[in-house]
Amino acid sequence: MILDINKPHKQVKMTDSVTNTQLINIELDSVAKTEVAMSVVGCANADVKSKLVAKNRKGKKYFFTSTPLKTILIPCLVGIGLLTVSCGSLPKESAEAQSQSPGARGRGNGATPVDVAIARTDLLQTQPEYTGNTTPFRIVSLRSQVEARLLSLNSDVGDTVTRGQTVGQLDDALLLTAYKQAEAELAALKSEVVRATTQVSNARADVERARLEVVQAQADSQRQQKLFQAGAIAQQAAEQARTQAQTAAQALRAAQEQVRTEQQAVAAAQGRVLAQQALVAEAKERRSYARLISPITGVVTEKVTEPGNLLQAGSEVFKIGDFNRVKVVVQVSELELAKIQVGQSVKVRLDAFPNETLIGRVTRISPAADATARLIPVEVVIPNSDSKIGSGLLARVNFETQTTQRVVVLQTAIQKQALQQKSNTANTQNQTGTLFVLSDAEGKAKVTARTVTLGKRADSKVEILSGLQPGERYVVRSGKPLKEGDIVSLSILSEKQ
């Protein structure tokens, strides 16, 4: 005996063994499916099938007559029926819930859903930014001026130095020796000047003595000439006196020439002294080169050598940067060159200080452009009195020329546009359009049509020259065409005041 599917409480008598086996398999499959759907019921298919097969093999003609098997199958079939009834009731309940949703009530009241934005002033187009790296306003290389060994360095990379500060020391032993030798030679030359001056004095004394002798000889010659004329002496004596006077005059001239010669010797010696004094000053100056002195006030950006190295004249020791001002060189397209001029103020942003905007100034525009990329180097200088900006920082330069900000709205907000001037002209101030402005009346959101004057357009935005004030709410897009006084409902994409 087996249970009838349509009438579980009745049993069907099976006479054919083959038919019995087929029906048993069908019942087993049905029980297995019931177990999957109702996992809460612990029905064991394998055990049931084994029992069914075992009883069938024993040749019994009636099946499922035992009470335990009935208690297994009847709850399974009842569970399937309950599950089917509960599933069938879900669509109806879901439809009722949807019919009671707030959106459905709103649509029933006739409010049109709209996206609303707030009018704000902004720049229609954002000027392109050009990137560059910050560098010191100037970089000076501190080099050795003499050949010497580097003994010590008093500064390192990152240290601030002032103009005239000693930052290193060279070995000055050879320089000191050369200086002392120059001083010794100077002393010797000075003694020569003294000796030549003495000789000049002696020559002047000889000149004075020769002058006296000339005076005496001339007097004697005149007396002998008178005595000769008087016949007191012979002519020979008078002539000898005249010759002695002439000889004395010649000696005077020789003495005077000697004075001039000695004076020239003194002048030459004094010249040699002056030359040696210059050599002494040079040796002293070269000795001062043993002290490495900063030529500017700035920050040490690079240390090239280390103490102990032998430096040649011109060997680099430090690089010192002047960070009182910082410059940025950017490559600007030739198409933008007409908008840039020397002295123009620009905005500079540094990635290192994202919340700060610096004001720089264009100081130089290169006269030569890159022939391949058509880019022109433009130099911008930024004040850096607090030395906060370092070298190598990424800078973004904006050559912003538009200063007046106007109300800017999305083009989708313009409902209709009518050109008052139909000719094709670049003057866009003659264009007008209509947009809907949101207003609250009796607790309901209504729209009012307003005519506005349009300006330039860019990036799906349009300038409003007149007709809309900052802070007013306007409709960006709506679910259906609007008209004056329509009641609307704000979507979740709308801006809130």
Side-chain angles (χ1 to χ4, degrees):
M1 300 294 291
I2 65 171
L3 295 175
D4 191 352
I5 296 177
N6 297 324
K7 297 178 180 180
H9 60 283
K10 295 183 179 181
Q11 294 180 346
V12 180
K13 183 177 181 180
M14 304 301 296
T15 57
D16 192 357
S17 60
V18 177
T19 303
N20 290 342
T21 304
Q22 292 177 353
L23 291 176
I24 290 172
N25 291 332
I26 292 173
E27 290 294 337
L28 290 176
D29 291 339
S30 175
V31 172
K33 292 180 182 179
T34 302
E35 283 186 338
V36 174
M38 300 292 295
S39 59
V40 295
V41 182
C43 298
N45 291 336
D47 295 338
V48 173
K49 185 174 182 180
S50 60
K51 291 178 181 181
L52 293 174
V53 174
K55 290 184 178 182
N56 187 53
R57 287 178 179 178
K58 291 180 180 181
K60 294 182 178 181
K61 296 181 179 180
Y62 296 96
F63 195 63
F64 291 169
T65 57
S66 62
T67 302
L69 191 57
K70 290 181 180 179
T71 58
I72 293 174
L73 291 178
I74 292 174
C76 291
L77 296 176
V78 172
I80 292 174
L82 294 176
L83 181 61
T84 303
V85 172
S86 62
C87 292
S89 64
L90 287 178
K92 182 177 180 181
E93 295 175 357
S94 177
E96 293 177 355
Q98 291 181 357
S99 64
Q100 297 176 358
S101 63
R105 292 194 298 268
R107 288 190 295 271
N109 295 334
T112 303
V114 294
D115 294 340
V116 175
I118 301 174
R120 293 184 176 88
T121 58
D122 197 359
L123 294 176
L124 184 61
Q125 282 185 313
T126 302
Q127 297 293 332
E129 288 184 339
Y130 299 92
T131 58
N133 295 324
T134 58
T135 57
F137 181 71
R138 57 175 174 166
I139 298 178
V140 178
S141 294
L142 178 61
R143 299 176 181 270
S144 173
Q145 295 179 274
V146 294
E147 179 181 356
R149 189 176 302 279
L150 180 61
L151 296 181
S152 64
L153 291 175
N154 303 331
S155 300
D156 208 335
V157 176
D159 293 344
T160 301
V161 295
T162 58
R163 183 176 181 178
Q165 178 182 342
T166 301
V167 296
Q169 181 66 43
L170 301 177
D171 186 4
D172 63 346
L174 297 178
L175 300 176
L176 179 60
T177 301
Y179 173 67
K180 290 183 177 180
Q181 182 179 357
E183 283 190 331
E185 292 180 358
L186 177 61
L189 290 176
K190 287 182 177 180
S191 66
E192 290 182 3
V193 171
V194 173
R195 185 168 58 254
T197 304
T198 302
Q199 291 178 354
V200 169
S201 299
N202 294 336
R204 286 177 178 174
D206 292 341
V207 168
E208 188 64 26
R209 184 171 57 253
R211 182 180 291 110
L212 294 176
E213 290 178 356
V214 168
V215 172
Q216 183 65 39
Q218 289 178 350
D220 291 343
S221 176
Q222 290 176 358
R223 282 195 305 270
Q224 291 296 331
Q225 189 66 28
K226 291 179 181 180
L227 290 175
F228 170 69
Q229 292 177 356
I233 59 174
Q235 183 179 359
Q236 183 178 3
E239 291 178 354
Q240 287 179 349
R242 188 170 57 251
T243 301
Q244 288 178 357
Q246 292 176 352
T247 302
Q250 185 66 30
L252 176 60
R253 288 192 295 271
Q256 291 175 344
E257 188 66 25
Q258 183 64 30
V259 169
R260 287 192 291 269
T261 302
E262 294 297 335
Q263 288 176 342
Q264 291 177 356
V266 171
Q270 289 177 344
R272 288 193 294 273
V273 169
L274 292 176
Q276 188 61 33
Q277 286 177 342
L279 292 177
V280 170
E282 180 184 354
K284 185 178 180 179
E285 183 69 17
R286 288 176 62 84
R287 184 189 175 190
S288 68
Y289 294 162
R291 295 168 56 244
L292 299 177
I293 298 176
S294 173
I296 62 171
T297 298
V299 178
V300 177
T301 59
E302 183 179 353
K303 182 172 67 173
V304 181
T305 187
E306 294 290 343
N309 290 334
L310 179 63
L311 303 181
Q312 301 294 328
S315 296
E316 190 175 20
V317 180
F318 279 138
K319 285 186 177 180
I320 302 175
D322 181 6
F323 284 91
N324 188 41
R325 290 177 291 175
V326 177
K327 65 180 180 181
V328 179
V329 178
V330 295
Q331 304 294 328
V332 179
S333 171
E334 62 179 358
L335 302 178
E336 300 292 332
L337 187 61
K339 304 177 183 178
I340 303 173
Q341 57 184 356
V342 175
Q344 174 183 340
S345 296
V346 298
K347 293 182 179 180
V348 182
R349 295 189 303 106
L350 301 176
D351 287 3
F353 308 101
N355 297 327
E356 297 184 16
T357 299
L358 306 175
I359 302 299
R361 189 172 300 276
V362 178
T363 57
R364 186 176 292 106
I365 299 176
S366 176
D370 187 346
T372 303
R374 306 298 181 186
L375 298 177
I376 296 95
V378 176
E379 181 179 292
V380 176
V381 174
I382 311 169
N384 188 32
S385 57
D386 54 358
S387 300
K388 180 174 63 175
I389 305 175
S391 178
L393 302 181
L394 181 63
R396 304 179 186 274
V397 179
N398 189 339
F399 298 93
E400 187 173 289
T401 56
Q402 183 179 359
T403 57
T404 303
Q405 292 188 350
R406 302 184 185 275
V407 176
V408 177
V409 300
L410 296 174
Q411 286 188 357
T412 56
I414 307 300
Q415 301 299 319
K416 64 178 180 178
Q417 299 179 3
L419 292 177
Q420 296 179 355
Q421 183 178 354
K422 297 183 178 179
S423 60
N424 186 10
T425 176
N427 186 8
T428 58
Q429 293 183 353
N430 292 329
Q431 296 185 10
T432 60
T434 301
L435 54 75
F436 287 96
V437 179
L438 193 68
S439 61
D440 293 331
E442 299 178 357
K444 297 181 180 180
K446 294 184 179 182
V447 293
T448 303
R450 185 179 298 180
T451 301
V452 294
T453 304
L454 306 179
K456 297 179 181 179
R457 295 177 176 84
D459 299 332
S460 300
K461 296 180 181 179
V462 59
E463 286 182 344
I464 303 299
L465 304 181
S466 62
L468 185 65
Q469 299 299 323
E472 290 186 300
R473 295 187 295 173
Y474 65 94
V475 176
V476 177
R477 60 182 63 85
S478 60
K480 65 179 182 179
L482 298 175
K483 61 180 181 296
E484 180 77 18
D486 280 356
I487 299 176
V488 296
S489 61
L490 276 62
S491 66
I492 60 174
L493 300 178
S494 299
E495 290 189 66
K496 304 297 182 182
Q497 285 185 333

